[in-house]
Amino acid sequence: KQEVTQIPAALSVPEGENLVLNCSFTDSAIYNLQWFRQDPGKGLTSLLLIQSSQREQTSGRLNASLDKSSGRSTLYIAASQPGDSATYLCAVSINTNAGKSTFGDGTTLTVKP
Amino acid sequence: NAGVMQNPRHLVRRRGQEARLRCSPVKGHSHVYWYRQLPEEGLKFMVYLQKENIIDESGMPKERFSAEFPKEGPSILRIQQVVRGDSAAYFCASSPFSGATSGSYNEQFFGPGTRLTVL
């Protein structure tokens, strides 16, 4: 059974800092890994999708890496801003045609002005 | 292009009533997933449907819960005889493809969720 863990559960940083969020998964036979952002009381916004054959993806100030063999992914946020404050969720999709995703419990990020 | 739409956004029911949650996927997407997020917890997979078929319902409680995705119209998640423990946010996601068999990645697009409160 796939299990996804995100560390830390919460993180508070001053504006402008670079930061790294961590995601680990127990079964390396994944199809892809997706990072999402969730604002309080809102839905999920997809940030980055990494296919199992890829090592990283970049979008603006965000960079996500994937190391399948060690079961780890990181989300790097450069020059953090107060608007980045949200909960960040990592989800892995298993390597079958079921397509369902297993989510971590998220890291709640607060960026202080 | 409209994204995934869910309604209602908020639903209040008394114990024992029925709750019906609707999800309209992104136009052209034929794969729908339902997830539940309990307060202060992560999202948990419930059920995966294609048009007129349930593909994987391994995460759905065996009793009181059912889901459908008819040929026409939205996907429906139905909860009968709701209890307080059913209070949660229910998210629907859609994707154009299903994983490995299509040879294409399986990016899921999420709706805004339906927040169910059972009194």
Side-chain angles (χ1 to χ4, degrees):
Chain A
K1 178 186 171 187
Q2 178 74 272
E3 293 184 2
V4 179
T5 303
Q6 291 188 244
I7 295 174
L11 181 63
S12 181
V13 300
E15 182 176 3
E17 269 203 12
N18 302 326
L19 59 101
V20 174
L21 307 181
N22 297 292
C23 172
S24 61
F25 45 94
T26 54
D27 187 344
S28 62
I30 65 170
Y31 195 69
N32 62 48
L33 183 145
Q34 212 167 341
W35 282 94
F36 294 90
R37 169 186 173 137
Q38 185 177 28
D39 292 284
K42 305 289 187 183
L44 278 70
T45 301
S46 180
L47 298 174
L48 290 164
L49 171 76
I50 310 177
Q51 298 182 55
S52 62
S53 59
Q54 297 176 324
R55 297 282 293 181
E56 66 176 340
Q57 284 284 346
T58 298
S59 176
R61 293 182 294 107
L62 305 179
N63 175 276
S65 68
L66 174 63
D67 184 342
K68 263 184 61 175
S69 59
S70 67
R72 295 177 188 274
S73 175
T74 61
L75 179 67
Y76 175 82
I77 303 176
S80 57
Q81 303 170 357
D84 294 331
S85 298
T87 296
Y88 291 81
L89 298 166
C90 164
V92 298
S93 185
I94 59 174
N95 195 17
T96 71
N97 68 348
K100 66 185 180 186
S101 292
T102 301
F103 280 80
D105 287 342
T107 294
T108 299
L109 172 66
T110 302
V111 181
K112 295 175 287 188
Chain B
N1 285 330
V4 177
M5 300 179 70
Q6 291 187 247
N7 68 80
R9 295 290 304 278
H10 299 274
L11 183 62
V12 179
R13 286 287 179 266
R14 298 191 179 280
R15 282 181 295 171
Q17 291 184 320
E18 178 180 286
R20 292 172 69 89
L21 288 62
R22 296 175 191 77
C23 169
S24 296
V26 173
K27 187 176 180 180
H29 287 191
S30 57
H31 301 263
V32 166
Y33 310 82
W34 285 93
Y35 294 84
R36 177 166 66 175
Q37 186 175 35
L38 294 168
E40 307 302 323
E41 293 188 15
L43 276 76
K44 305 297 183 191
F45 168 79
M46 297 182 74
V47 61
Y48 162 43
L49 309 103
Q50 295 179 23
K51 283 285 188 182
E52 301 183 277
N53 288 303
I54 296 175
I55 307 303
D56 182 348
E57 56 182 348
S58 59
M60 201 149 72
K62 295 286 187 284
E63 297 179 352
R64 303 188 297 107
F65 285 73
S66 62
E68 63 177 10
F69 188 19
K71 187 176 180 181
E72 302 290 338
S75 175
I76 305 288
L77 179 67
R78 181 181 178 207
I79 311 173
Q80 296 178 290
Q81 300 175 339
V82 296
V83 301
R84 288 213 174 111
D86 296 333
S87 295
Y90 292 82
F91 290 97
C92 169
S94 73
S95 71
F97 303 115
S98 171
T101 56
S102 72
S104 299
Y105 63 83
N106 178 35
E107 184 171 7
Q108 296 186 17
F109 298 83
F110 279 77
T114 293
R115 278 153 185 83
L116 172 66
T117 301
V118 179
L119 302 177

